[in-house]
Amino acid sequence: MRTYILILSLLLIACIVKGQAIIEGISYDESKVPNYVLPDVLTCNDGSKVTTVTEWEKKRRPEVLEYFYSQEYGRTPKETIAVTYEKLTENPNDMGGRATSKQVRFKFTNGKNVVEAILLVYIPNKRKGKVPVFVGYNFKGNHSTTLDTTVLYSPSFSLVKAPDHPDWQRGNQMNRWCYDKIIDRGYAVATMCYHDIFPDKLGLIKHSVSSLFPTYDPNSTALDEWKAIGVWAWGSSRIVDYLETQDWVDLEKIAIMGHSRQGKAALWAGAQDTRFKVVISNDSGCGGAALSKRVYGENIARIVKIFPHWFCPAFEQYADNEDKLPFDQHELLALIAPRHVYVASAVGDLWADPKGEFLSVYHAGPVYELYGLSGLGTNIMPDIHQPIMTDVGYHIRAGEHDVTDYDWERFMDFCDMHFKIVKRK
Ligand code: GTR
């Protein structure tokens, strides 16, 4: 019996490499990265080369965008659905008087059904005039970002929470939302639970906002049908619609920050909606910032198998077939130009392929340069805690897959730089 347990434990230990579980078909071996050729972002499908901003915007950019619509995230519907906003709470003296908080109920409807979401907003009190804002989804409900018991449970809570799961307790993800620091640096923050927009569980699509669209068909077989990432991206644009109704928002200074699966959605939102002036992906990995053609860490075969409701069905054809991809994720980043993109990785998050995330920013550079802006300027990865910030940005930090104060501080440095905010003590 003892020997049996010993063998089992040894096997388990052998199955962990640098904190990453060994999963069949997943490689963490740099020497096994295929000899891939990335599509040149400035070469059009007909082989012609883009040399001007007009050619990029009129010809090549729509081609690139079309790849992401038809092959990866699916097509965002052109029509829209009605939404109303209802202010549920307002506290001008939150955070010891340093912030005003608001909770606003969004009601999406097609006249028959309704989907509700709650936006939680903190606005710094010390700034006069309009303020810059970080928009971002949380994973476990607004109540998970704070211990404040006046913060309401998100409407999707009852649908998706795992019974008695500690993850879902109030304040459980506070470490990902350093509200104190954000407010002290003069930024507002607007967050909503991503499950409110599209519950991230198989079988719950009928509770998503996408089910309200006239084109919704639960039995659709369209290869370019939009799925969860597309719907989350759409939802973050609806947060901006609300912000546009608010006189305290500086509309030229809206940033979106997304972690992991929400990093994927943030990049896709930023590619489509030019109201996001800074787009930040934290540990977004496969289907986010990481280059798919490196096939390092999480790969397409694995992600479409485990999360079949995230990507449009056409993406499945590239499972174990990355070579055939006519585009790659650096082109998603390039779609954000001339607005600013920032990518963050963590050393202990090989699953998200930090090097692939870095190279993606690097290879988006030519489009920034076309606009007379600066790309990363180097294809050599920086050391940990040595961020590179030009018109694009990148850092890798110590630690695991998470959002830490270090990440937020760098995101704010980058936004300060581009929003021309003088650093306060
Ligand atoms: C993982 C998934 C990643 C990433 C992550 C997350 O399970 O494989 O692509 O999205 O979830 O969102 O935390």
Side-chain angles (χ1 to χ4, degrees), residues 123-142:
I123 309 157
N125 283 341
K126 77 171 172 188
R127 283 173 69 90
K128 297 265 176 287
K130 296 176 187 292
V131 295
V133 189
F134 282 103
V135 171
Y137 287 117
N138 60 71
F139 281 67
K140 308 276 179 182
N142 294 345

Side-chain angles (χ1 to χ4, degrees), residues 139 259-262 264 283-284 286 298 303 307 310 351 401:
F139 281 67
H259 169 62
S260 205
R261 65 198 69 182
Q262 287 316 318
K264 309 178 208 298
D283 302 352
S284 62
C286 180
E298 187 176 31
I303 205 165
F307 304 106
W310 284 6
W351 183 246
H401 185 74

Side-chain angles (χ1 to χ4, degrees), residues 66-291:
E66 178 56 23
Y67 279 131
F68 290 97
Y69 281 134
S70 64
Q71 308 292 301
E72 187 163 0
Y73 305 117
R75 216 166 283 284
T76 313
K78 292 231 173 12
E79 65 269 26
T80 189
I81 47 173
V83 55
T84 56
Y85 314 121
E86 178 195 355
K87 190 163 72 186
L88 300 173
T89 64
E90 173 156 6
N91 178 1
N93 260 313
D94 213 318
M95 298 174 60
R98 286 179 297 139
T100 297
S101 65
K102 294 186 197 209
Q103 298 181 81
V104 181
R105 193 197 325 268
F106 285 41
K107 265 192 190 169
F108 298 98
T109 180
N110 57 5
K112 275 204 302 233
N113 300 320
V114 175
V115 171
E116 292 188 10
I118 296 180
L119 186 72
L120 169 65
V121 180
Y122 291 101
I123 309 157
N125 283 341
K126 77 171 172 188
R127 283 173 69 90
K128 297 265 176 287
K130 296 176 187 292
V131 295
V133 189
F134 282 103
V135 171
Y137 287 117
N138 60 71
F139 281 67
K140 308 276 179 182
N142 294 345
H143 71 284
S144 73
T145 70
T146 169
L147 288 173
D148 179 351
T149 52
T150 65
V151 171
L152 302 160
Y153 286 90
S154 299
S156 54
F157 181 67
S158 54
L159 277 176
V160 290
K161 70 150 192 187
D164 305 324
H165 201 281
D167 265 20
W168 288 91
Q169 280 165 17
R170 182 172 296 280
N172 188 266
Q173 296 210 321
M174 271 167 71
N175 65 306
R176 291 188 174 178
W177 298 90
C178 51
Y179 290 141
D180 281 318
K181 289 192 168 136
I182 298 173
I183 289 299
D184 283 349
R185 284 183 63 167
Y187 287 87
V189 57
T191 186
M192 181 184 276
C193 180
Y194 81 126
H195 293 291
D196 286 359
I197 296 297
F198 193 115
D200 192 8
K201 257 190 181 175
L202 264 187
L204 291 182
I205 189 168
K206 58 177 182 293
H207 298 282
S208 74
V209 290
S210 51
S211 72
L212 302 173
F213 279 75
T215 44
Y216 171 66
D217 171 4
N219 304 311
S220 165
T221 51
L223 290 176
D224 62 352
E225 194 199 347
W226 72 333
K227 295 287 180 93
I229 293 178
V231 184
W232 293 322
W234 180 90
S236 37
S237 289
R238 304 295 70 79
I239 297 176
V240 180
D241 294 348
Y242 166 76
L243 295 176
E244 285 183 330
T245 69
Q246 300 295 297
D247 59 5
W248 51 268
V249 178
D250 187 337
L251 294 173
E252 289 307 307
K253 296 178 182 171
I254 297 183
I256 180 168
M257 194 295 280
H259 169 62
S260 205
R261 65 198 69 182
Q262 287 316 318
K264 309 178 208 298
L267 291 170
W268 183 222
Q272 297 176 86
D273 190 337
T274 55
R275 295 173 299 172
F276 292 113
K277 305 300 182 198
V278 171
V279 179
I280 302 164
S281 128
N282 191 71
D283 302 352
S284 62
C286 180
L291 293 175

